[in-house]
Amino acid sequence: SQQGEEDPQALSIQEGENATMNCSYKTSINNLQWYRQNSGRGLVHLILIRSNEREKHSGRLRVTLDTSKKSSSLLITASRAADTASYFCATDGGSNYKLTFGKGTLLTVNP
Amino acid sequence: DVKVTQSSRYLVKRTGEKVFLECVQDMDHENMFWYRQDPGLGLRLIYFSYDVKMKEKGDIPEGYSVSREKKERFSLILESASTNQTSMYLCASRPLGQPQHFGDGTRLSIL
């Protein structure tokens, strides 16, 4: 079953604006990961945040994690047309080997 | 950089055929995974393997089997292909507790 659920399902913004995507999950986690997928390609790992971390930055990406609310957000600042892609969160429960992926947010950045 | 290579980007097969999808990783990762991705359903785990000759069912194993005879290679087998197995298939690998690395996917059409 899918644990991570992204919100919104689709997001359309103008170049230069910030994009925020949210992820909710149901059970306890070891870490939460965000991935990006360009159309017709495989997923690429963006950032991992551990359960004892609240915020993490990588370039124009900022991820927050609120374990009390079982939610995470991914912020992309100063978006570019090349950021157009689907973004997925994935939870790692730590007790087995697999990740559980959400259904993704399709981000469109208009030039 | 980790490289996960899937043998075909596009594949067309006929109903009832036995289909083999191959995946090779070059980083000595213990864990390997097969997913299928369908519009509106996100990534669904078919099978995963945590060691050579070891495998575990994912969320949707019916109609599929896998083989892992060597650490670097993980094969997905459709025993008797059906039209409802038309999908994008993604292979991934990772060391335990670390992010997954994905191949570029195989778009499989069953006619």
Side-chain angles (χ1 to χ4, degrees), chain A residues 1-2 30-31 33 35 37 40-45 48 50 88 92 96-99 101-104, chain B residues 9 31 33 35 37 40-45 48 50 59 88 90 94 96-100 102-104 107:
Chain A
S1 61
Q2 295 289 344
N30 196 40
N31 65 68
Q33 303 172 25
Y35 290 80
Q37 183 182 34
R41 306 301 295 272
L43 280 72
V44 175
H45 174 254
L48 180 153
R50 302 193 186 281
F88 295 85
D92 184 347
N96 59 28
Y97 304 91
K98 60 180 185 176
L99 301 179
F101 286 83
K103 295 180 183 178
Chain B
R9 288 294 309 277
N31 306 151
F33 306 83
Y35 298 87
Q37 184 177 27
L41 297 178
L43 273 76
R44 293 181 291 168
L45 182 64
F48 67 101
Y50 50 90
D59 300 316
M88 173 73 138
L90 291 164
R94 73 164 181 159
L96 191 61
Q98 296 299 313
Q100 291 189 356
F102 284 83
D104 271 341
R107 192 166 293 281

Side-chain angles (χ1 to χ4, degrees), chain A residues 26-80:
Chain A
K26 294 179 182 151
T27 61
S28 63
I29 61 170
N30 196 40
N31 65 68
L32 185 143
Q33 303 172 25
W34 285 91
Y35 290 80
R36 164 195 169 125
Q37 183 182 34
N38 289 347
S39 180
R41 306 301 295 272
L43 280 72
V44 175
H45 174 254
L46 294 175
I47 198 164
L48 180 153
I49 186 165
R50 302 193 186 281
S51 59
N52 61 353
E53 297 176 310
R54 292 295 166 259
E55 189 170 312
K56 204 160 181 181
H57 296 256
S58 177
R60 293 183 297 113
L61 305 180
R62 173 178 164 247
V63 168
T64 61
L65 179 65
D66 186 335
T67 53
S68 66
K69 294 182 179 177
K70 292 187 168 57
S71 68
S72 173
S73 67
L74 171 66
L75 168 67
I76 304 174
T77 60
S79 63
R80 305 166 183 167

